[in-house]
Amino acid sequence: MTDFPVVESVPALRARLKDFRNKGEKIALVPTMGALHDGHLSLVQEARRHAERVVVTIFVNPAQFGPSEDFAKYPRTLPSDLEKLASVQADLCFAPTMEAVYPPGFSTRVEVDGPARADLEDRFRPTHFCGVATVVAKLLNQAQADVAVFGEKDYQQLLVIQRLARDLDIATEILGAPTLREADGLAMSSRNVYLSKAERAAAPALYAALNEAARLIGAGEAIEATLARASAALGEAGFLPDYIEARHAKTLARIAGRRDGPIRLLAAARLGATRLIDNLAVTHEA
Ligand code: AMP
């Protein structure tokens, strides 16, 4: 057991944060759903570059799961999460109770448009970003940190949260951080534990397909034909692709050609019962 500090209520969180602020220390927030892996820990390290104190939130938010999704079986590993947070010298874990986030009578939701309606994740998870935006708005208000760090792994989510903070005048600066990958390219994810041995062996095909498509599009190949081949490659590897698309990296608007960029490739695909997402920038070759 670790004695890493955890608070479970908003008043307790604010009391700790007040101590930090009274010492003139900047605060960074790293919101997560726990089941921490090295990708999450890389966000803590990025956060540390911007603030003296790093607060990691752990809350499995029911509002962002669809009715047929994995809320009930989502991995919950608080003791080992706290050990990991101690190992990277985070300062505090905020693991609010369900009541602290959704008190009796809770009646407010944050409706998001723009990047949240880009016809990517939202096509397959129509209530997801409202759930994310509502909980993230709450966490940002609860902590009022100087910065908050989110992963590019969930690229559409990052843009939704940046838009949310701008639109609601939330003073916390929203920073993105790169995706940490396993040695074979698979993006680290708490959901990777669901993969069978055979699925885990096939899973790097998602990154491989994105990587190859990004290389070809960067070298001038036609976008639609390249993505169609990438989708076929995913199918051959055993995935059922939901989408693999090229979008404007800042707005997620559809693009007709390379000159409309900067381009981000975004994909989601199912491997057995597990749904994986990933994305990659297209960098232009000379
Ligand atoms: P989650 O716990 O999956 O909701 O993720 C919490 C935060 O960690 C989000 O900002 C994610 O984008 C980020 N994240 C998840 N996986 C990775 C990864 N492999 N590399 C970097 N950040 C990640």
Side-chain angles (χ1 to χ4, degrees):
M1 276 300 281
T2 155
D3 52 5
F4 189 83
V6 188
V7 289
E8 296 185 347
S9 74
V10 177
L13 171 71
R14 288 191 167 152
R16 294 293 185 108
L17 297 183
K18 202 170 161 195
D19 285 346
F20 297 153
R21 282 202 193 90
N22 285 343
K23 288 187 246 164
E25 294 168 338
K26 277 195 167 183
I27 295 163
L29 194 71
V30 180
T32 81
M33 297 204 300
L36 299 181
H37 50 65
D38 287 351
H40 296 118
L41 302 185
S42 75
L43 300 188
V44 173
Q45 273 145 355
E46 177 61 22
R48 167 77 68 223
R49 283 192 267 281
H50 300 272
E52 284 84 17
R53 298 290 184 175
V54 179
V55 179
V56 177
T57 76
I58 295 183
F59 180 66
V60 185
N61 174 33
Q64 70 190 68
F65 289 77
S68 62
E69 293 181 4
D70 55 344
F71 174 69
K73 74 163 184 165
Y74 197 84
R76 289 160 171 88
T77 58
L78 189 63
S80 76
D81 288 350
L82 297 180
E83 275 173 26
K84 288 175 189 171
L85 293 181
S87 77
V88 290
Q89 279 110 43
D91 294 283
L92 181 65
C93 176
F94 177 45
T97 60
M98 200 55 79
E99 286 259 299
V101 180
Y102 299 115
F106 186 83
S107 322
T108 304
R109 268 169 196 81
V110 177
E111 188 184 318
V112 277
D113 205 332
R117 299 242 173 105
D119 199 28
L120 292 164
E121 280 303 283
D122 50 302
R123 194 191 325 158
F124 298 90
R125 309 184 73 190
T127 60
H128 177 65
F129 287 121
C130 174
V132 168
T134 302
V135 83
V136 170
K138 284 181 64 93
L139 293 168
L140 293 173
N141 280 331
Q142 288 163 347
Q144 299 183 15
D146 298 279
V147 303
V149 183
F150 292 84
E152 290 179 353
K153 161 75 173 32
D154 300 277
Y155 194 80
Q156 189 177 3
Q157 168 178 281
L158 171 62
L159 297 192
V160 168
I161 292 165
Q162 284 175 331
R163 187 74 247 173
L164 163 90
R166 236 175 291 152
D167 289 352
L168 298 185
D169 301 304
I170 292 171
T172 305
E173 186 185 359
I174 309 298
L175 302 174
T179 301
L180 214 73
R181 300 178 180 282
E182 304 287 356
D184 59 13
L186 175 65
M188 290 184 186
S189 165
S190 306
R191 291 190 165 98
N192 290 348
V193 298
Y194 298 154
L195 299 170
S196 69
K197 210 169 169 200
E199 288 165 351
R200 175 63 190 83
L206 180 57
Y207 173 68
L210 283 169
N211 205 24
E212 176 69 354
R215 187 182 69 75
L216 291 170
I217 292 168
E221 294 283 327
I223 293 176
E224 284 309 315
T226 303
L227 293 177
R229 282 200 300 275
S231 185
L234 279 180
E236 274 160 38
F239 278 92
L240 283 174
D242 278 348
Y243 61 83
I244 175 159
E245 295 207 25
R247 295 294 185 92
H248 191 284
K250 296 219 166 79
T251 64
L252 299 182
R254 293 178 198 282
I255 47 156
R258 271 179 69 193
R259 281 184 193 81
D260 299 344
I263 301 174
R264 196 88 187 181
L265 302 185
L266 302 102
R270 281 167 290 138
L271 190 54
T274 306
R275 188 170 180 279
L276 300 179
I277 62 171
D278 202 348
N279 65 87
L280 209 55
V282 172
T283 52
H284 289 210
E285 284 175 18

